[in-house]
Amino acid sequence: MEQYKQEFIEFMVASDVLKFGDFTLKSGRKSPFFMNAGAYVTGEQLHQLGLAYAQAINDAFGLDFDVVFGPAYKGIPLSVVTCMGLSELYGKQARYCADRKEAKDHGADKGNLLGADLHDGDRVIIVEDVTTSGKSIDETYPKLKAAADVEVVGLMVSLNRMEVGKGGVKTAQEEIQDKYGFPVASIVSMAEVVEKLEGTVITPELKAAIDAYYEQYGVR
């Protein structure tokens, strides 16, 4: 496993973003782990987050793109810090763009989007915290295509939960790939989290609970 992935896993735990215990997800599933990217709140945390996204995007998709797009709301700061990380690590000057939940009807920046304008032919990377159902992509992808004839190069999320999506057969990430035709990647997967933390943060009892969760909700 790459060094930055190992560091990112430790970073998620230290930042209280990745938690282990007994959680009820929005889907109604009972999960032994939970991730909340909203817990990244300090300048240093956001700095590290942007660097991790930048490295993962470079590894998965390269640097041939123009815009980093973040679906509201959590994707907005993600798009900003990712652009900063790309600039710091690679000298890559990507533009950030995000959508609004409610369109702004006044001012020079009225409309559904904020940040950079989109132009025909722009190559776009979408950033999200985690993809469970693909609902946010279903909402924001039409906004992207309505704004301009852009090409989505890929979607980057921080954690691949590795569980079945709405269809009950493939992961949510695979369902998005099949539906929209662009690749989906993650900084780390839950398999990598378990590999890194087993024997320390992940006790034998917690490992058994994670295994039972994937027995029920994992992709077979």
Side-chain angles (χ1 to χ4, degrees), residues 108-178:
D109 61 341
K110 65 182 180 181
N112 290 317
L113 304 179
L114 58 88
D117 292 331
L118 296 176
H119 307 288
D120 290 351
D122 276 345
R123 290 167 58 81
V124 177
I125 297 284
I126 304 174
V127 289
E128 282 202 302
D129 55 348
V130 65
T131 296
T132 305
S133 68
K135 180 181 178 182
S136 67
I137 300 300
D138 290 339
E139 293 174 348
T140 57
Y141 184 78
K143 293 181 183 179
L144 275 172
K145 298 299 287 186
D149 185 16
V150 302
E151 175 189 352
V152 177
V153 175
L155 164 65
M156 179 61 68
V157 302
S158 57
L159 177 66
N160 180 0
R161 288 186 60 96
M162 299 176 60
E163 58 194 77
V164 290
K166 291 182 290 187
V169 177
K170 299 180 178 182
T171 67
Q173 293 189 188
E174 290 170 332
E175 288 178 347
I176 291 171
Q177 289 181 165
D178 290 348

